[in-house]
Amino acid sequence: MSTYSADLRATYNSGHTRPLAWRKHQLEQMIKMLDENEAEFLAALKTDLGKPTVEGFITDIAFITGEIKLMLKNLKKWNQPQRVPTPLVTMPAKSQLIPEPLGVVLVIAPWNYPIQLLLVPAAGAIAAGNAVVMKPSEVSAATSTVLARLVPKYLDQKAITLVEGGVPETTALLAEHFDHIFYTGNGTVGRIVMAAAANNLTPVTLELGGKSPVIIDESANIHVTARRIAWGKWLNAGQTCVAPDYILVNEKVRQPFLDELGKAITDFFGADPQSSESYGRIVSPRHFDRLKSLMTGGKVIIGGETNAESRYVAPTVLADVDMNSALMNEEIFGPLLPVLSINSTKQAIEFITARPHPLALYVFAENKSVVKEVLAKTTAGGVTVNGTLMHLTSPHLPFGGIGESGMGGYHGKSGVRLFQHMKPVLSRGTKLDPSLAYPPYTDKKAKLFRKLL
Ligand code: NAD
């Protein structure tokens, strides 16, 4: 039976994807696809998520081309063997790590940044010399349709395939044998992916989510803090894996923070965010209903308006939060922001460490010892200090989760290394071949070994 992975494996085994020239061409073609069809991609993002054009350009076009350009610039370097030292006992010899592709890679993407989260890992896999199957999310259907039409037009169909579909199609793909599976999405499906991968001992990267907390210390610059939180929270209408999920604010600065947050919302989106060109929409009626129901977990103090027809949920801030509610126990993944009061850094740290490791953690403080304490005593996939989301944008900082928020990291060099096996090779010379290493093991040799080893 012909399967996607078997067809691509035949291509991979033929050596087709190994030459750097092939990889370079595919990466250039990916950039060309995004350049030449930018308007169509942005229109699809608008249909799926009401994504503002500028936001779509930054997060789902420019971010990808930036990553690919970095791969192109370093393609040769990142695929070169690395010399490493050789221990005395193995001399004469030289040792190196030879980067080799893994084989056939499956990339499964979600709907919130549906182009970026499909193409960036796929580009990393291609730069490393792999064949790739891409599976976009069926939830962002308009974007999936555009990708399905353009990917075969621009990229080499012998080695790169895009499969559209939802649960049945992904389940069928997961039954096939891949050499690496890169999955982005929720943790429930993450477990399904990992269990399926176990059948073939396939390594996985799981880019998951969770409740990313924000700590606001009394020393924080409240004006800047509020604006940076408002930006990170309401980008893509809160449907960002690293969006601030809830706030732990020192009670001494709670009211000034709420005042500034309200002002930031009005500054960014006007008095009626529903009519703002800079504010997105909820991806589907299911997620709209989910968010409406989450809203019952606290008292709305800012926003709260909704419109089912346009799937609009206002930037919403909640107080008096019920700790047993879904609002405080599930990832919000939408524009609702619960604000909780704390009275010390210690209390914030205890709150966070009593919960699963988040994908991101944010701490706002001018007092450096507070930042130091938070960094030393909490665990998170990544951290931005005095900001939100920004650690994700650096190609020098591997992006990923830990524990419940995922495993493995990518972006920049790490996004190529992820799809390579650094094959250790020790090559010995034959001019010298001391008999010391061979039996019979005399007392003299034994004494020498004790000195040498
Ligand atoms: P989704 O519903 O689009 O699902 C993700 C992918 O899994 C899709 O391609 C879908 O077809 C597939 N899928 C769904 N159910 C499946 C099943 N039963 N079996 C096999 N495949 C299945 O997206 P989602 O899960 O709603 O995405 C949101 C989640 O993703 C949030 O938790 C968010 O935090 C997380 N996320 C993480 C990152 C990151 O980089 N760490 C980025 C974006 C989103």
Side-chain angles (χ1 to χ4, degrees), residues 4 8 132-135 151 156-163:
Y4 294 107
L8 295 194
V132 186
V133 176
M134 303 186 210
K135 217 301 286 174
V151 163
D156 181 358
Q157 295 183 54
K158 271 182 84 177
I160 301 162
T161 301
L162 186 143
V163 181

Side-chain angles (χ1 to χ4, degrees), residues 18-29:
R18 295 232 178 191
L20 290 189
W22 179 86
R23 307 182 200 183
K24 181 169 176 276
H25 182 61
Q26 299 312 310
L27 295 175
E28 286 167 349
Q29 283 293 103

Side-chain angles (χ1 to χ4, degrees), residues 217-284:
D217 182 58
E218 61 183 294
S219 70
N221 176 333
I222 294 301
H223 175 69
V224 173
T225 298
R227 290 172 74 83
R228 291 184 182 175
I229 290 173
W231 171 74
K233 177 67 191 181
W234 289 298
L235 179 88
N236 205 24
Q239 300 162 111
T240 302
C241 55
V242 283
D245 190 279
Y246 62 91
I247 308 282
L248 299 172
V249 59
N250 189 297
E251 58 196 7
K252 290 187 195 138
V253 291
R254 181 177 185 274
Q255 198 51 50
F257 166 68
L258 289 174
D259 294 344
E260 288 289 339
L261 194 62
K263 274 190 218 151
I265 293 172
T266 317
D267 278 1
F268 293 178
F269 310 115
D272 176 22
Q274 191 161 195
S275 57
S276 166
E277 284 294 316
S278 303
Y279 189 67
R281 294 293 181 271
I282 304 308
V283 71
S284 68

Side-chain angles (χ1 to χ4, degrees), residues 13-182:
N13 286 342
S14 75
H16 188 79
T17 61
R18 295 232 178 191
L20 290 189
W22 179 86
R23 307 182 200 183
K24 181 169 176 276
H25 182 61
Q26 299 312 310
L27 295 175
E28 286 167 349
Q29 283 293 103
M30 220 184 240
I31 293 182
K32 198 169 172 209
M33 173 178 82
L34 292 167
D35 277 352
E36 290 182 352
N37 303 281
E38 187 184 305
E40 204 179 337
F41 278 122
L42 293 176
L45 292 172
K46 176 116 355 225
T47 305
D48 287 329
L49 290 146
K51 213 173 254 209
T53 308
V54 175
E55 227 174 85
F57 173 74
I58 295 170
T59 62
D60 266 293
I61 303 279
F63 186 89
I64 309 171
T65 53
E67 278 277 324
I68 298 177
K69 282 177 187 163
L70 192 72
M71 288 174 200
L72 283 167
K73 194 171 153 217
N74 293 287
L75 196 63
K76 209 167 152 202
K77 197 162 117 196
W78 293 347
N79 283 289
Q80 246 161 15
Q82 287 179 2
R83 279 292 286 268
V84 291
T86 298
L88 193 65
V89 285
T90 62
M91 296 281 196
K94 75 171 188 181
S95 307
Q96 51 185 335
L97 298 170
I98 302 180
E100 63 175 17
L102 301 176
V104 185
V105 170
L106 172 63
V107 177
I108 305 173
W111 49 264
N112 60 334
Y113 293 91
I115 312 175
Q116 181 198 134
L117 298 174
L118 187 75
L119 294 190
V120 172
I126 292 166
N130 297 279
V132 186
V133 176
M134 303 186 210
K135 217 301 286 174
S137 174
E138 73 284 14
V139 181
S140 41
T143 311
S144 178
T145 304
V146 176
L147 284 162
R149 192 167 54 73
L150 295 177
V151 163
K153 194 172 149 193
Y154 283 84
L155 303 180
D156 181 358
Q157 295 183 54
K158 271 182 84 177
I160 301 162
T161 301
L162 186 143
V163 181
E164 277 196 286
V167 178
E169 291 79 5
T170 319
T171 307
L173 276 175
L174 288 172
E176 296 188 21
H177 181 193
F178 290 94
D179 299 295
H180 192 102
I181 300 176
F182 187 104

